[in-house]
Every structure is written in structure tokens, then in C-alpha cells.
Amino acid sequence: MSLHAQTPTAAPLQTKIRLALLATALCDALGAPAEFNRRSSFSFIGHMEPNENFDLPAGVWTDDTSMALALARSLATFQHHDGTEGRGGFDEADQLGAYYRWWKEGTLSATGSCFDIGNTIQRAVSMYHNALHAAGVEFSKGALAKVLEQEAAKAALTRIGQDMSGAVFGGNGSLMRVLPIGLAYWRAAGDAGTVGELAARSSAVTHPNAVCREACAVWAGAVARVVRSAVEGAEGTGNARTMTKLDVLHHFAAHPYTTDALRKALAAEVPLPEGMDAVADSAAMEAHYAVHHPVLRLVTEMAQADSFYGADDNDAVVATRTLALLPPASVLPSSGYVVHTIVAALYAFLATPSFEMGALLVANMGDDADTVAAVYGGLAGAWYAEEDTPDAGTGFWTARVRGWRNALVRRDLVEEVAEELAAFAGEQ
């Protein structure tokens, strides 16, 4: 199906936020067993399976979802210490503290403990740990302890920014959790720079590398635009036309990148002809990008006439047709490098017409499959999300997706945090 013919499912804000976070957890848990495995070296993953990497049962989500939930809860419930009224808002120190509690105490983990953490994130939260010790927080209580925690976080953030901005720290650990920024500040989608600035700042809490910050900015911006289009479609408000997947591609293709790595991976190689209109010339625009954009060119090369299966196809058919869309790892890497992750997630979103099919595609990529899957899941969840009604089943709620939901461990925790974020986002 052409990109310019695909539009997001209209739904209320609460539905979009709740299911975008749930989709992150579903895809994360689905792809986790394939982590660390080379592409095509494992049996096709179509259902929740045990995670032998960490000796975990089926349906357990990983650090990707835990950190996204930590950021979401920080945004929704941050307690101001400067006399400002109300709760909730963006605060880097509070975010760092949330990641620290997940690492040390297992807060917002599906298992109650941190069983996996990326090297860059561990280094960052370790700096915070050392700053807390230097400030003597363990010997303080009440208001004094809160003040010392804030001072320790500020000291750690300064150190993180100074010591961890090099290319070696270009992992996907901030991209995997950035979804809540786009969800929370969806109303600012039309304000140039607002969502992107907050997303970049959220990255810098552990990943101040310029490529990581820019990847988070452009991804969160896409999420915010999708949510705004879908919510306004449901409410019948707004003057803009309904967004299409071609608009999503254009968002990435036309972004004014400042880093060479992302410009090479996501920008159009040849600009659109002057005067081309996204509405009147949508077919021509898509044809242009099919030739001059690396991701859509790959989608076009891999697409096959029989690749789009139906909700009632058996597992063998699903596996065959999904894998037909999966390029070799040499062509579409799914490593922990942030550029590889954002490109692979975008490819899955553009190459498939349903949440289920894209989820299966990323889960079977191998390597850092859980993170690529989690990143895809957030955007795709925002796009396809709809309430689970008896007549649903062709968009988000297919039989397989319902099965994944029923097998998900600690779904209640994901939904609890999602409700918190939805309440905050509705007030923005």
C-alpha cells in the first residue's frame, strides 16, 4: 500500500498514550529472546518466548521499557522543590534519579530488579551514585536529603556532559526511552524545536553525544506529530489534514540535521523539486523518495506483491511473508548504534501496513532486536492504537496482538504509568 494512502487511526489521547507505551513493552518483550543473536540464526519468533539470555519467562520486558516508564513517571509526577505549584514537568535531575532507582532498586522493572543495563547508562548512573555519596545523602533525611539529591544530580549531569559526549558513547540507550517526550508534549508538535529540544535534553541525561541527542529529537518530533494528527482526527478539531506515512517519511527526509551520520542515513539524497506539494503531488513525492531516500528505496526493493498477510493467516505463512521483507544485516543493521536503531525502526514502520507485521519484523532482526522493537513499538503504537472492541482486529488489535498482551508480564505496571502520563499530557 502506498505511504500517502496510509493514515493513523483516530483515537482519544488517553488511548494513544496508553497503547503506545503498551506497544513498547509488547515489542520489547517479543524481541528480547532474539537479542545478541545473529539475524537468521534463530527460529522465527511469532509469539512471546522465554528469554534465555537472562533466564526469564516469556513476556518479560527489558531495560528499554523500564527506562521509558521511568521517564514517563518523572514527567507525570515530578515534584517541584522551588515553590512552583502542581506536579509534573521536565526536569533532568529528576529523570536521572528515576534511572538510578531502577538500577539500584529495580523500580519499574518487570521482575523487580535491574537484570540488564547498557554500559553507557551504567556509567552515567554510577556518576550519580558517586555524587550522592560525596554529598552525604545517606546521612541525611527529609528536606535536606532532597536538596542534597538535587545538588548531586546537577554535579553528575555536569560530569556526564563533560566526559560522555564522544563518539564511543553513540548507543541507543536514550532513543529507546524517548517516547514519553513525544507523547507528553504532543500539543507542541507544530512548534518548531519545542519537542525536539526537550527530547535532546532528555538524551543528554545519560547520552550527551550529538548524534544521540539529534536522533531523540527527530524521533520524538515524529511521535508528537502522529499523536496530534490522530487525536485531532478523533476530536474533529484542528485545521490540518490527516497525516500520512508519507508525511512521517518527509519529517525525517527534510529534517535539518546537524550531524553527518543522521543526515546520511535519514535525509533525502536529492531535495524535492521546488514547489512540490505534499497533498496535490503526494504520489510524485513518494516516487521521488523511492529513488532518493535510502530507507524508502530499501522498502521498495524488498516489497513483494504477496508480502501483506491477513489476520487469519497461519504461523508458517506469517513467517515466510515477514522474513521476505527482512533485508540482510549487512544492508539493514540492528545493532546498538543509535543510527542503526533509528533506521531499522523506521524501515519496519514504513515497510509494513499493520502494527503486528512491523512488530514481527523487528523482533526477528536479531542483534539488539529488543531495543529496535521497543523504538518501533512506540511510534507504531501511536499510529495504529485503537480501543479493543468486538469489531477491532485489522489495525492494532489482531488475534496475535491480543495474545501478546495476555502473555505480557506486569502489564498492570505499564498501564499504571501510562495513565499517569495521559493525565499529565491532557493538561499540557
Side-chain angles (χ1 to χ4, degrees):
M1 184 187 298
S2 299
L3 297 185
H4 64 271
Q6 299 180 60
T7 58
T9 305
L13 177 64
Q14 185 178 39
T15 299
K16 288 297 180 183
I17 291 179
R18 179 165 51 84
L19 295 188
L21 281 170
L22 179 64
T24 299
L26 290 174
C27 292
D28 179 8
L30 189 68
E35 187 183 14
F36 310 126
N37 291 282
R38 290 182 296 105
R39 190 168 303 171
S40 303
S41 68
F42 51 92
S43 299
F44 183 79
I45 296 174
H47 306 280
M48 293 293 184
E49 298 181 5
N51 186 342
E52 296 180 357
N53 297 310
F54 300 100
D55 194 25
L56 297 170
V60 174
W61 31 274
T62 74
D63 54 327
D64 307 272
T65 301
S66 290
M67 295 199 76
L69 295 179
L71 175 56
R73 175 160 281 176
S74 175
L75 292 172
T77 66
F78 165 62
Q79 297 185 36
H80 301 269
H81 304 294
D82 58 359
T84 305
E85 293 185 3
R87 290 165 60 89
F90 186 97
D91 185 84
E92 289 98 328
D94 192 71
Q95 292 164 28
L96 183 58
Y99 306 147
Y100 178 78
R101 289 188 294 276
W102 160 68
W103 176 48
K104 280 293 187 180
E105 302 169 10
T107 305
L108 298 177
S109 165
T111 65
S113 65
C114 174
F115 56 83
D116 184 29
I117 185 171
N119 293 333
T120 300
I121 292 171
Q122 185 167 19
R123 180 167 178 164
V125 293
S126 294
M127 289 182 181
Y128 180 48
H129 175 80
N130 294 337
L132 287 172
H133 180 71
V137 173
E138 65 265 41
F139 304 113
S140 305
K141 297 181 179 180
L144 176 60
K146 291 293 184 182
V147 171
L148 294 178
E149 286 175 3
Q150 285 279 314
E151 293 178 352
K154 291 177 181 178
L157 288 168
T158 298
R159 175 88 182 275
I160 290 166
Q162 292 172 342
D163 295 355
M164 299 179 60
S165 60
V168 70
F169 300 108
N172 55 20
S174 58
L175 179 65
M176 71 187 191
R177 67 175 187 246
V178 77
L179 172 71
I181 299 293
L183 299 177
Y185 298 102
W186 65 282
R187 292 186 193 276
D191 300 331
T194 301
V195 176
E197 178 186 353
L198 292 178
R201 285 171 56 189
S202 78
S203 174
V205 172
T206 58
H207 289 67
N209 171 275
V211 179
C212 297
R213 288 187 284 109
E214 188 160 53
C216 286
V218 70
W219 193 263
V223 170
R225 290 188 62 191
V226 167
V227 171
R228 182 169 179 173
S229 179
V231 171
E232 289 182 347
E235 296 175 344
T237 59
N239 298 317
R241 66 180 179 85
T242 302
M243 193 175 191
T244 70
K245 280 197 178 181
L246 180 60
D247 293 316
V248 175
L249 174 61
H250 182 64
H251 169 83
F252 288 96
H255 185 82
Y257 295 100
T258 61
T259 59
D260 291 338
L262 287 172
R263 184 184 303 111
K264 181 179 179 180
L266 293 173
E269 297 158 343
V270 176
L272 291 170
E274 187 174 350
M276 180 172 282
D277 184 77
V279 178
D281 305 316
S282 58
M285 179 183 289
E286 185 165 345
H288 177 90
Y289 281 142
V291 176
H292 299 297
H293 193 279
V295 179
L296 187 57
R297 185 166 60 240
L298 182 59
V299 169
T300 303
E301 292 171 355
M302 295 300 298
Q304 299 182 13
D306 65 345
S307 61
F308 300 139
Y309 58 80
D312 57 347
D313 287 335
N314 62 46
D315 288 350
V317 171
V318 169
T320 299
R321 293 181 173 173
T322 300
L323 294 177
L325 286 177
L326 187 55
S330 59
V331 176
L332 185 71
S334 51
S335 78
Y337 177 39
V338 66
V339 176
H340 290 169
T341 297
I342 195 171
V343 170
L346 181 61
Y347 171 84
F349 178 72
L350 297 177
T352 58
S354 70
F355 170 72
E356 176 194 300
M357 190 172 183
L360 291 171
L361 192 63
V362 286
N364 284 281
M365 286 185 178
D367 204 349
D368 206 5
D370 60 324
T371 301
V372 177
V375 174
Y376 159 82
L379 177 62
W383 185 271
Y384 296 108
E386 60 183 342
E387 285 302 318
D388 187 7
T389 60
D391 59 346
T394 58
F396 187 88
W397 290 114
T398 63
R400 287 186 190 85
V401 174
R402 291 189 179 104
W404 299 343
R405 175 193 60 187
N406 294 339
L408 191 69
V409 172
R410 291 309 311 270
R411 190 180 91 203
D412 60 319
L413 186 56
V414 177
E415 293 175 341
E416 176 185 313
V417 176
E419 294 294 343
E420 295 170 357
L421 185 64
F424 171 72
E427 298 171 354
Q428 299 309 295

